Amino acid sequence: MIDRHVLPDSFGRVMRDLRVSLTDRCNFRCLYCLPETEEAANFYRGKFDAVNNPKPRKLALPAAKPRSEILSYEEIERFVRIAVTLGIDKIRLTGGEPLLRQNVESLVQKLRRIPGLTDLAMTSNALLFPKKGRALKEAGLNRISFSMDSLDPMNFKKITGRDGLAEVLESIQLARELELTPLKVNAVIIRGINDHEIEDLAQFAQREQLSFRFIEFMPLDSSRTWLKEIVVPGREILDRLKKRFDLKPVLSSNPSETARRWRFNQGSGEIGIIAPVTEPFCGHCNRLRLTADGKIRTCLFSLHEHDIKTPMRNGASDEVIAEMLRGIVLQKESRHHIGEPEFVQPGRTMSCIGG
Ligand code: SAM
Ligand code: SF4
């Protein structure tokens, strides 16, 4: 008998995790995601020539969608409710920068009331969290992950295009105070940019008793300057950290977890390595993504998206949407093809897809 309350794909994987992008806009310009000048996009390749190009050109950023094309909170709530009846139990709100959506706490409050949703988390660059944190906690947010690629204010600005390290550090303290735990902090490590900070970032994690994730750079940047040579393999990060810290592996009962984790022998901090490029975990992937403009993506690297907004706006019933979602999940890709000759970078960038 077919179980109507689960979302299996055609490779035996069962979907549990839905990442909802609330906006394709962002107040940062991270050079691995949305670099805004050619100089920023290219400085890790040494290509930018300040003599011949004295004025850095503005790079074309992906055009933000008009407001009418962005899902309303009511539409997001309805879709999440349907997905939860099909077995999704974990929602992560992301973007772009999710805290740029006005009154985002009202969405958190709506989602929190959905029976069957066990985990409601968010990923944010933290810039606006000092203003929003308390309201999010009161609305029922369970957990938050912040991005912090450097502990050096100058390097932080070079990477994100903005001054913001002080706000991230303040946000980490506030999130801890608000018990939005386990508190995770993510860093994308790029050779020649912030790989010299790997040990310092881990030391920060140990001192602050954080769960710190080192992420490999993926080909999802808007400038399409990704090169495999500047990816720092997870193995290399781990080997370096093992030389410096006494690390014990954390055994997880969840095979779909993206990070391999190690805890520090002292204190409650831990590090995680997310290595989608050099050690893909596609075989256990249980994630789906809903873009801000209402498209379902079955893989970060999907070349095809499935429009769910149009049928929702044209009056399709919940049953029809549920049936569509089942059909979409059956088309989930077996794996990504990064590094292979046939790899094609998706048309949309991480900031539009929702990381
Ligand atoms: N703006 C929020 C933030 O930065 O935390 C949420 C959205 S961001 C797209 C989600 C995550 O994707 C962040 O942790 C970011 O570092 C990561 N990310 C963005 N572009 C990436 C890339 N090209 N490779 C690997 N991770 C990337
Ligand atoms: Fe914005 Fe997050 Fe992309 Fe940085 S990684 S540009 S903060 S969406």
Side-chain angles (χ1 to χ4, degrees):
M1 201 181 82
I2 299 173
D3 185 346
R4 312 299 291 166
H5 303 289
V6 291
L7 273 174
D9 72 4
S10 48
F11 301 96
R13 299 169 297 190
V14 175
M15 302 304 111
R16 293 261 178 235
D17 183 333
L18 174 67
R19 305 203 166 193
V20 180
S21 173
L22 300 187
T23 176
D24 51 3
R25 292 165 203 256
C26 193
N27 43 6
F28 276 13
R29 292 287 178 266
C30 301
L31 53 81
Y32 50 76
C33 184
L34 270 182
E36 75 186 331
T37 62
E38 207 161 332
E39 182 188 27
N42 279 329
F43 86 106
Y44 43 80
R45 295 171 128 188
K47 265 192 168 179
F48 183 73
D49 178 351
V51 177
N52 295 325
N53 298 293
K55 283 194 185 146
R57 269 197 298 133
K58 278 268 182 192
L59 276 183
L61 293 172
K65 296 277 174 189
R67 191 165 295 213
S68 59
E69 286 194 32
I70 300 297
L71 293 182
S72 67
Y73 288 166
E74 288 68 29
E75 288 169 327
I76 293 173
E77 181 198 11
R78 178 179 174 211
F79 183 78
V80 169
R81 199 177 281 281
I82 294 168
V84 169
T85 64
L86 298 179
I88 294 290
D89 54 11
K90 181 174 167 192
I91 299 289
R92 178 169 292 275
L93 303 176
T94 179
E97 176 46 41
L99 296 184
L100 285 179
R101 272 293 285 260
Q102 275 188 0
N103 203 11
V104 66
E105 55 276 20
S106 69
L107 174 66
V108 169
Q109 207 169 34
K110 284 181 199 298
L111 298 180
R112 193 59 281 173
R113 293 197 197 110
I114 296 176
L117 180 61
T118 52
D119 190 15
L120 181 55
M122 180 181 277
T123 303
S124 164
N125 64 26
L127 195 67
L128 297 173
F129 187 79
K131 291 195 188 101
K132 285 281 185 183
R134 283 180 203 284
L136 289 167
K137 173 70 183 181
E138 278 163 25
L141 190 73
N142 297 128
R143 295 186 297 122
I144 191 143
S145 301
F146 295 127
S147 300
M148 187 183 73
D149 306 306
S150 172
L151 281 165
D152 165 4
M154 295 296 286
N155 206 26
F156 185 96
K157 186 173 181 185
K158 205 193 262 186
I159 296 171
T160 64
R162 301 288 182 268
D163 281 316
L165 181 60
E167 285 83 352
V168 182
L169 296 173
E170 184 185 346
S171 296
I172 290 171
Q173 298 312 331
L174 178 59
R176 199 200 318 269
E177 204 183 292
L178 294 171
E179 294 178 6
L180 286 166
T181 49
L183 179 56
K184 291 183 193 161
V185 179
N186 301 324
V188 177
I189 302 297
I190 304 180
R191 199 174 299 287
I193 300 290
N194 61 350
D195 54 335
H196 60 287
E197 294 196 55
I198 289 172
E199 287 84 356
D200 289 351
L201 290 165
Q203 194 170 36
F204 176 79
Q206 185 177 34
R207 193 181 71 225
E208 298 294 325
Q209 314 218 335
L210 291 170
S211 187
F212 202 97
R213 308 294 206 238
F214 295 90
I215 307 176
E216 287 179 350
F217 179 26
M218 291 182 272
L220 290 168
D221 55 316
S222 61
S223 60
R224 296 173 176 263
T225 43
W226 181 89
L227 287 172
K228 68 175 182 331
E229 289 76 11
I230 54 174
V231 174
V232 183
R235 182 77 241 173
E236 182 181 325
I237 297 172
L238 182 62
D239 287 347
R240 271 174 58 174
L241 292 176
K242 279 185 169 167
K243 281 193 192 132
R244 172 81 174 270
F245 301 94
D246 189 4
L247 297 171
K248 299 271 173 283
V250 177
L251 300 176
S252 168
S253 54
N254 176 9
S256 299
E257 214 175 303
T258 51
R260 286 182 300 126
R261 297 187 284 133
W262 283 262
R263 65 179 169 75
F264 297 104
N265 209 13
Q266 283 162 345
S268 60
E270 64 167 46
I271 58 135
I273 307 277
I274 303 184
V277 178
T278 62
E279 299 169 57
F281 32 79
C282 307
H284 293 291
C285 179
N286 66 354
R287 280 171 293 286
L288 294 174
R289 288 178 164 81
L290 174 65
T291 64
D293 60 342
K295 309 276 167 38
I296 302 288
R297 294 182 64 93
T298 47
C299 174
L300 264 179
F301 298 95
S302 292
L303 296 175
H304 179 69
E305 299 180 335
H306 307 264
D307 181 13
I308 205 86
K309 177 183 68 193
T310 306
M312 286 207 302
R313 289 191 178 173
N314 287 346
S317 67
D318 288 0
E319 289 68 29
V320 167
I321 299 293
E323 211 45 56
M324 284 183 71
L325 186 53
R326 280 198 198 92
I328 290 168
V329 169
L330 288 174
Q331 297 171 55
K332 184 172 164 77
E333 300 79 346
S334 61
R335 64 185 183 91
H336 70 62
H337 295 273
I338 303 174
E340 298 171 22
E342 67 269 32
F343 176 74
V344 178
Q345 180 165 341
R348 294 224 269 179
T349 63
M350 190 65 132
S351 61
C352 299
I353 296 168

